[in-house]
């Protein structure tokens, strides 16, 4: 880990274990030179070819026609002074003009990593494990200053970038666009990989070749969304799971975003990521600054798998926080699909009793415990216990659950308000709305305006009152709709387009206050399942409900795609009833368990309905998960067979010291007279011998990886097998 500055050439060289990132202040313009495999020395004349292009690419320096902003690879490109490609920032000056041009002023290199103001961020636990470069750029005529921040870690092939934009003029400036990172790559011979889908079909893998023009993913929904995740990657044409060059771009943000690549007329590729400029602006008064979220850029020379493992460890150990960051997560049962809104204290206690007999550690009471909540059409915002369902209160129910040997958890949806609620009747202006416009409802609810301090304070107080009223050790924090009529009653007209980002800042403030006040509670985020599965939320809550679709076969693609960026320790995965409530599929209990154990394991069904055979099988599942959960949650993750490419899926976990491994193989549809095939494992020590647990065979790590093991012949549809190995 080094950040070097060559004063003679005004050149910055950032190095990590296997990567170099190099740029130069070329005649004042911050110019991208190289990003890729680690190189020892860098010379700008060899890394950047400067030639005069067509007259349609203007030259800012009259005496040097080899420099054109329209062809120069920029670090943080602006708009209006001859670069016609996608800008990283754009401002509207008091004169009405938008043309700006940033030049290098100075820089500093700091040990460690400074915190971001009011935003979630990757962190360094000591100054020895990271270095940060701050590069100051300015446009004196516009009265604009920008600080570009670059952090590199000792252990990770990653660069963490953000930008701070300051108004140093005497007039107000309107910020129209403020991206976190922009990188100009020298050619367009890449494929773009994205994670896209829909509710109950989140984060499917899509790969396509770059073509001239812009290809992008984005959300305009006020959250990171089910449709597109705030991530994309550029892959060399030969890149697959274990080979080829991969460039990953991930945004630590939970609101509307944009990420994409523009291929220009000369077949260079500009990659960019940040807050979506659609319906965004930010008024900067003199002396004020705007901080962008962080973009985490990862390079791998060994395919997608190595990129994923970098993101996994970085996010698990340097983004997630709190008591549960490094702790094995409890096995839970959630009552939602067991009862929906129709429950009472006796029913919940019965589920807890059944769970205790099976070895479950936590019961989570889901929606319906508050207000007059017998369906989804009322009471959000009224966080008081429904005494009809729970006449002795929440504390009594929690103690009844605890008396069965289980911890007690609770569901909230604090960001929402029902029009049929005491809160809305008292404060109809507390929701996002535009004066005179219809207030569009979704799931019979509106969104509270978290840009307001009074709304933030209400949420903190009402949630805290409940958490203090009973022995609660887990909270599921849900959010079940996207933003419409995005406006705030308290913001003036020239700041209305700040509402969505101010909402996110308000949400982050609320989460910081609550999670700090209750450090021993395990928080799980949710948004109709995976609608806000992003790094921003992981900073406050170390796990997320991966999808409302708990069908084991659907989850193969959902969890596989999620693993491209996010660690297994962040994924909630449950066994649910069959026929499955989302897709109607019948899958074996074993397969449901084998798929769910590759996440934070739990059950989403009525445990009291199990017969004796099912109870015996579930006891075995739970006993196995307790043995392996530290391996699955904190081990190295390897993808073996993709559900997007065939009829079978396989993945595995290897402990950091390579002494223990677990693999899972799932066949979707059984085929008659299927081929005899082998499953090759990954990540083992080729020089060690491993015991195949349960089979009594001893096999070399080299054989397991290079020759593999015979795949089982499936006996039915949706068959699964778990393999365990231990070094001897």
């Amino acid at each position: 880990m080094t950040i070097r500055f060559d004063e003679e050439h005004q050149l910055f060289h950032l190095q990590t274990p296997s990567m170099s990132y190099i740029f130069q202040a070329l005649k004042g313009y911050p110019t991208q030179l190289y990003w890729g495999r680690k190189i020892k020395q860098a010379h700008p004349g060899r890394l950047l070819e400067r030639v005069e292009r067509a007259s349609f690419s203007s030259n800012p320096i009259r005496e040097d026609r080899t420099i054109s902003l329209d062809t120069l690879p920029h670090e943080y490109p602006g708009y209006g002074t001859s670069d016609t490609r996608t800008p990283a920032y754009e401002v509207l000056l008091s004169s009405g003009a938008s043309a700006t041009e940033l030049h290098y002023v100075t820089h500093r290199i700091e040990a460690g990593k400074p915190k971001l103001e009011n935003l979630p961020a990757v962190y360094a636990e000591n100054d020895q494990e990271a270095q940060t470069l701050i590069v100051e750029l300015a446009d004196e005529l516009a009265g604009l200053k920008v600080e570009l921040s670059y952090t590199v870690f000792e252990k990770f092939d990653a660069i963490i970038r953000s930008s701070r934009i300051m108004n140093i003029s005497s007039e107000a400036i309107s910020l129209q666009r403020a991206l976190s990172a922009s990188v100009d790559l020298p050619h367009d011979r890449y494929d773009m990989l994205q994670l896209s889908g829909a509710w109950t079909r989140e984060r499917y893998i899509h790969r396509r070749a770059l073509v001239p023009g812009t290809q992008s993913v984005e959300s305009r929904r006020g959250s990171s969304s089910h449709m597109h995740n705030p991530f994309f990657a550029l892959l060399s044409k030969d890149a697959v799971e274990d080979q080829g060059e991969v460039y990953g771009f991930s945004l630590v943000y939970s609101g509307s975003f944009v990420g994409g690549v523009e291929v220009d007329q000369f077949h260079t590729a500009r990659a960019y990521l940040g807050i979506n400029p659609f319906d965004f602006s930010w008024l900067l008064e003199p002396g004020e600054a705007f901080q962008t979220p962080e973009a985490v850029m990862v390079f791998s020379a060994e395919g997608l798998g190595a990129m994923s493992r970098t993101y996994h460890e970085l996010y698990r150990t340097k983004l997630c926080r709190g008591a549960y960051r490094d702790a094995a997560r409890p096995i839970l049962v959630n009552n939602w699909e067991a009862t929906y809104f129709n429950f009472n204290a006796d029913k919940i206690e019965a589920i807890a009793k059944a769970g205790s007999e099976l070895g479950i550690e936590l019961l989570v009471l889901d929606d319906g415990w508050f207000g007059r909540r017998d369906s989804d059409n009322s009471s959000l915002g009224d966080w008081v216990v429904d005494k009809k369902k729970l006449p002795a209160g929440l504390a009594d129910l929690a103690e009844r659950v605890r008396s069965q040997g289980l911890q007690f958890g609770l569901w909230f949806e604090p960001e929402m308000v029902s029009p049929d609620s005491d809160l809305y009747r008292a404060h109809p202006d507390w929701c996002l709305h535009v004066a005179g416009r219809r207030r569009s409802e979704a799931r019979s609810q509106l969104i509270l305006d978290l840009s307001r301090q009074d709304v933030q304070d209400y949420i903190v107080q009402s949630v805290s009152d409940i958490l203090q009223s009973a022995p609660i050790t887990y909270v599921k924090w849900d959010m079940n709709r996207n933003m419409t009529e995005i406006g705030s009653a308290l913001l003036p007209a020239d700041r209305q387009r700040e509402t969505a980002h101010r909402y996110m800042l308000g949400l982050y403030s609320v989460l910081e206050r609550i999670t700090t006040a209750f450090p021993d509670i395990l928080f799980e985020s949710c948004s109709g399942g995976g609608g806000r599965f992003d790094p921003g939320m992981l900073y406050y809550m170390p796990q997320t409900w991966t999808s409302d679709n708990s069908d084991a076969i659907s989850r193969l693609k959902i969890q596989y795609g999620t693993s491209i960026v996010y660690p297994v320790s962040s994924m909630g995965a449950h066994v649910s009833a069959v026929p499955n409530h989302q897709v109607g599929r019948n899958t074996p209990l074993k397969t449901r368990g084998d798929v769910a154990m590759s996440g934070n394991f739990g059950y989403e069904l009525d445990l009291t309905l199990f017969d004796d055979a099912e109870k015996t099988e579930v006891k075995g599942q739970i006993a196995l998960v307790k043995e392996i959960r530290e391996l699955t949650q904190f081990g190295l993750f390897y993808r073996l067979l993709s559900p997007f490419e065939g009829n079978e899926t396989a993945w595995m976990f290897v402990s950091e010291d390579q002494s223990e491994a677990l693999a899972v193989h799932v066949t979707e549809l059984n085929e008659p007279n299927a081929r005899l095939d082998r499953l090759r494992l990954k990540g083992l020590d080729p020089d060690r011998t491993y015991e195949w647990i349960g089979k009594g065979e001893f096999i070399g790590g080299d054989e397991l990886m290079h020759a593999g093991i015979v795949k089982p012949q499936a006996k039915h549809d949706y068959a699964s097998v778990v393999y365990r190995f231990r070094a001897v």
Side-chain angles (χ1 to χ4, degrees), residues 84-121:
T84 57
R85 295 166 292 177
T86 302
Y89 75 96
E90 183 181 356
V91 298
L92 182 63
L93 304 175
S94 60
S95 65
S98 292
T100 59
E101 191 169 284
L102 294 172
H103 293 265
Y104 168 75
V105 177
T106 187
H107 74 275
R108 63 186 185 272
I109 299 173
E110 302 177 354
K113 184 178 186 296
K115 295 186 70 171
L116 284 197
E117 184 179 358
N118 301 323
L119 284 167

Side-chain angles (χ1 to χ4, degrees), residues 308-349:
S308 295
R309 286 185 289 278
T310 296
Y311 274 121
H312 293 174
E313 188 176 2
L314 180 64
Y315 282 172
R316 185 180 67 78
T317 64
K318 303 300 175 189
L319 179 67
C320 295
R321 303 177 297 165
Y324 283 90
R325 185 191 76 170
D326 303 319
R329 310 292 165 76
I331 298 169
L332 65 83
V333 59
N334 184 298
N335 75 297
W336 178 241
E337 290 191 16
T339 67
Y340 293 104
F341 295 103
N342 184 25
F343 63 84
N344 56 31
D346 290 340
K347 179 61 178 178
I348 299 303
E349 185 179 17

Side-chain angles (χ1 to χ4, degrees), residues 655 657-661 684-701 704 724-728:
S655 61
D657 65 2
Q658 298 177 298
S659 66
E660 187 179 1
L684 303 175
D685 185 339
D687 298 322
R688 297 170 83 173
T689 298
Y690 290 84
E691 178 188 3
W692 187 339
I693 297 174
K695 197 160 183 177
E697 296 184 15
F698 296 86
I699 312 174
L704 288 168
R724 295 182 66 190
F725 301 92
R726 183 179 295 121
V728 296

Side-chain angles (χ1 to χ4, degrees), residues 514-560:
I514 291 176
T515 57
T516 299
F518 299 94
D520 296 324
I521 291 178
L522 171 58
F523 287 86
E524 178 177 276
S525 66
C526 178
S527 178
R532 203 163 60 184
F533 201 134
D534 59 65
M537 294 305 292
L538 288 182
Y539 182 73
Y540 304 97
M541 304 183 180
Q543 61 188 60
T544 300
W545 180 226
T546 313
S547 176
D548 277 350
N549 186 348
S550 53
D551 170 64
I553 302 306
S554 298
R555 276 297 188 102
L556 295 177
K557 288 183 176 179
I558 294 169
Q559 292 175 199
Y560 198 95

